C-alpha cells in the first residue's frame, strides 16, 4: 500500500496515468487464509455500504477504490482461501451482482473521474502557459527598467552652470574657466581601500551605477516573485482520502464507556469479562460509532467469547451499520490488550484498518483505546498460529494507543443487547 501512495505523492499529471494508479490502489487487498471466510463476506458487505456513501457524497475517488476492492476480492482473491469450495453458491450470487450492478457503476465512475482528471490537466497546462507568458513579460520589463536606470545614471562631466556666454553681437566670449574646477573626472576617484571616501558631488562611476541598478533589479524581482509555482502539477487530493493511506477519524460518543460499564455491571461484580461490538456509519470520510451491540456470550475472568454472530449481522444489515471495532471489560486488571485480545482485534483491524479496541478497567477507573501497530503488530499477529494465552515479544510493540479517535461529548451511544 505504501508503494502506491508514494507513487501518487509524486503528482501524476496525465489523466490516464492517474486513472491507472487509482485502479492499482483499488486492487490492493489480500486474503488471509487463516481468517474465517465468512469474515470476508461481512467485510465485502460493509465495503459496498461505505462505497455507496462515498458515491452519494460525491467522493468519487474513494467510491471507485472500494468498488474495485470488492470486485478484486470476490472475482480473484477469495479463490485463494482454503474454504472457497464450501461457499461457491454464495460467490455465484455475488458474481451476478458484480456483473449486473457493481461493474456498470464502477465504469461510470471511471469515465467521470477520467473526465475530471482531463479537465484538471488542461487547466494545469493553460495555467503553466499563462505563467510562462507572464514570466517573459516580467523579464522584458526588468531588462527595460535596468537599461533605463543605467542610462539615467551616466553623468554629464560638465556642470550644468558651465556655459558659453554670447555677447550682444552674437559673438562668443571666453567661458568662465573657474567653473572647470567643479568638474569631477573619473581618474580623480581613489581606488582600492580608499574607494569609500568618494566625494559628495552626487556623481557615480558607470560600474557603480550598474551595481546600483543590479541591486534595484534584484529588489524588484524579489517583490514581483510569482505566487504560482510552475513546477506544481495537478495531483490527487489526498487529504481525508483512502489514497492518503492514513486512518480516518473514528468519533466515539462521550457516554460509551459509562453506558457499557452499566451493561457489564453484573458480570463485573462476578469477575467476568463482558464484550460488545462497536458499529456505526460513515459520513464525510469520518467513521461515527453509534451503537454497541452486545451479543450472546460466555465469559471468564480474563476472556470473553461471542456466540450466534449471525444475530449481530442481522442487526447491522437492518440498520445499515458498519463494524468499527469492539469493547470489553477487564474486571480486575488494567487496560491493555492480552495475547488473546490481540488475536481478537486482529480479525477486526485486518478488515477495517480504523477498527479500535476499547478496554474498560473499572477497578482502576481507566479506559484504553487501542489498535495493533499498523507496520508491525498487525502483520505479526496475523501470522501467529498459537491459540489461547501465550507470550508475545514486547519490542517492537504489538499494539499502541489509537491516535485517530475523537471522543464526542455531545453524542450519545445506542445499545442493542442481544443477551436478553
Amino acid at each position: 500500500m505504501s508503494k502506491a501512495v508514494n507513487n501518487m505523492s509524486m503528482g501524476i499529471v496525465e489523466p490516464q496515468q492517474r486513472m491507472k494508479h487509482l485502479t492499482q490502489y483499488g486492487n490492493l487487498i489480500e486474503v488471509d487464509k487463516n481468517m474465517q471466510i465468512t469474515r470476508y463476506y461481512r467485510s465485502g458487505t460493509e465495503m459496498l455500504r461505505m462505497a455507496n456513501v462515498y458515491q452519494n457524497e460525491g467522493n468519487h475517488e474513494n467510491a471507485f477504490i472500494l468498488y474495485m476492492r470488492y470486485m478484486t476480492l470476490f472475482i480473484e482473491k477469495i479463490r485463494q482461501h482454503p474454504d472457497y469450495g464450501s461457499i461457491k453458491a454464495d460467490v455465484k450470487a455475488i458474481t451476478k451482482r458484480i456483473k449486473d450492478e457493481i461493474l456498470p457503476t464502477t465504469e461510470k465512475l471511471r469515465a467521470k473521474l477520467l473526465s475530471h482528471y482531463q479537465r484538471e490537466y488542461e487547466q494545469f497546462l493553460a495555467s503553466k502557459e499563462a505563467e510562462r507568458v507572464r514570466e517573459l513579460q516580467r523579464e522584458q520589463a526588468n531588462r527595460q527598467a535596468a537599461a533605463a536606470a543605467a542610462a539615467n545614471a551616466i553623468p554629464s562631466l560638465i556642470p550644468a552652470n558651465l556655459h558659453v556666454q554670447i555677447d550682444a553681437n552674437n559673438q562668443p566670449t571666453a567661458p568662465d574657466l573657474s567653473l572647470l574646477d567643479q568638474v569631477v573626472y573619473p581618474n580623480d576617484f581613489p581606488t582600492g581601500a580608499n574607494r569609500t571616501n568618494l566625494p559628495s558631488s552626487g556623481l557615480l562611476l558607470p560600474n557603480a551605477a550598474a551595481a546600483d541598478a543590479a541591486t534595484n533589479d534584484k529588489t524588484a524581482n524579489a517583490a514581483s516573485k510569482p505566487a504560482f509555482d510552475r513546477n506544481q502539477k495537478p495531483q490527487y487530493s489526498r487529504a481525508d482520502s483512502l489514497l492518503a493511506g492514513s486512518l480516518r477519524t473514528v468519533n466515539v460518543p462521550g457516554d460509551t464507556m459509562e453506558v457499557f460499564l452499566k451493561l457489564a455491571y453484573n458480570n463485573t461484580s462476578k469477575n467476568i469479562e463482558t464484550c460488545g461490538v462497536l458499529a456505526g456509519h460513515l459520513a464525510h470520510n469520518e467513521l461515527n460509532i453509534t451503537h454497541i451491540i452486545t451479543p450472546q456470550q460466555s465469559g471468564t475472568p480474563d476472556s470473553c467469547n461471542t456466540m450466534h454472530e449471525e444475530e449481530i449481522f442481522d442487526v447491522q444489515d437492518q440498520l445499515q451499520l458498519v463494524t468499527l471495532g469492539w469493547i470489553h471489560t477487564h474486571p480486575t486488571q488494567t487496560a491493555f490488550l492480552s495475547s488473546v485480545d490481540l488475536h481478537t482485534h486482529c480479525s477486526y483491524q485486518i478488515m477495517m484498518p480504523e477498527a479500535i479496541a476499547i478496554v474498560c478497567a473499572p477497578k482502576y477507573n481507566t479506559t484504553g483505546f487501542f489498535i495493533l501497530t499498523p507496520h508491525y503488530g498487525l502483520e505479526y499477529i496475523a501470522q501467529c498460529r498459537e491459540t489461547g494465552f501465550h507470550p508475545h515479544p514486547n519490542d517492537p510493540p504489538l499494539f499502541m494507543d489509537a491516535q485517530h479517535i475523537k471522543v464526542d461529548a455531545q453524542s450519545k451511544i445506542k445499545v442493542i443487547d442481544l443477551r436478553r
Side-chain angles (χ1 to χ4, degrees), residues 35 124 145 154 158 215 238 263 278-279 299 303 314 384 416:
M35 188 74 64
F124 163 69
I154 297 176
I158 300 178
T215 301
R238 294 186 303 277
L263 286 172
L278 300 171
S303 67
D314 288 342
C384 179
I416 299 175

Side-chain angles (χ1 to χ4, degrees), residues 49-60 63 67:
R49 208 163 275 164
M50 289 189 291
N52 292 336
V53 171
Y54 277 130
Q55 186 179 10
N56 292 334
E57 291 181 348
N59 192 333
H60 296 146
Y67 285 133

Side-chain angles (χ1 to χ4, degrees), residues 192-367:
N194 296 325
R195 176 117 185 190
T196 54
N197 300 318
L198 295 177
S200 59
S201 62
L203 297 175
L204 297 175
L205 287 175
N207 48 351
D212 186 64
T215 301
N216 293 335
D217 190 36
K218 290 180 181 178
T219 304
N221 285 339
S224 61
K225 184 177 180 181
F228 178 83
D229 183 357
R230 290 193 296 160
N231 294 321
Q232 183 179 354
K233 301 177 180 180
Q235 53 187 308
Y236 295 100
S237 176
R238 294 186 303 277
D240 295 332
S241 170
L242 292 177
L243 284 168
S246 58
L247 299 179
R248 294 166 291 184
T249 298
V250 175
N251 295 305
V252 183
D255 64 342
T256 299
M257 287 64 70
E258 178 185 357
V259 169
F260 183 68
L261 284 173
K262 289 180 179 178
L263 286 172
Y265 178 78
N266 288 336
N267 282 344
T268 302
S269 63
K270 300 172 186 176
N271 193 25
I272 296 175
E273 283 194 7
T274 306
C275 65
V277 174
L278 300 171
H281 301 282
L282 168 71
H284 308 296
N285 210 41
E286 291 191 352
L287 299 165
N288 304 292
I289 294 175
T290 57
H291 290 75
I292 296 175
I293 304 173
T294 311
Q296 295 188 49
Q297 56 193 270
S298 61
T300 70
D302 50 22
S303 67
C304 185
N305 297 309
T306 62
M307 300 183 294
H308 306 297
E309 283 192 331
E310 66 278 1
E311 295 180 355
I312 302 174
F313 302 154
D314 288 342
V315 169
Q316 289 181 295
D317 290 343
Q318 290 172 19
L319 301 177
Q320 296 289 293
L321 298 174
V322 176
T323 304
L324 299 176
W326 64 304
I327 183 171
H328 72 290
T329 57
H330 280 182
T332 61
Q333 301 182 82
T334 58
F336 68 102
L337 293 182
S338 68
S339 59
V340 172
D341 295 339
L342 291 173
H343 283 265
T344 299
H345 189 64
C346 182
S347 65
Y348 286 96
Q349 192 171 331
I350 207 167
M351 297 298 176
M352 169 71 75
E354 291 85 359
I356 62 172
I358 301 179
V359 183
C360 299
K363 181 177 180 179
Y364 295 91
N365 195 29
T366 59
T367 299

Side-chain angles (χ1 to χ4, degrees), residues 26-38:
N27 291 333
L28 290 175
I29 186 169
E30 298 297 333
V31 168
D32 184 347
K33 297 178 182 179
N34 298 290
M35 188 74 64
Q36 291 182 2
I37 198 167
T38 53

Side-chain angles (χ1 to χ4, degrees), residues 141-153 213:
N142 289 338
R143 285 195 299 268
Q144 292 174 346
N152 293 334

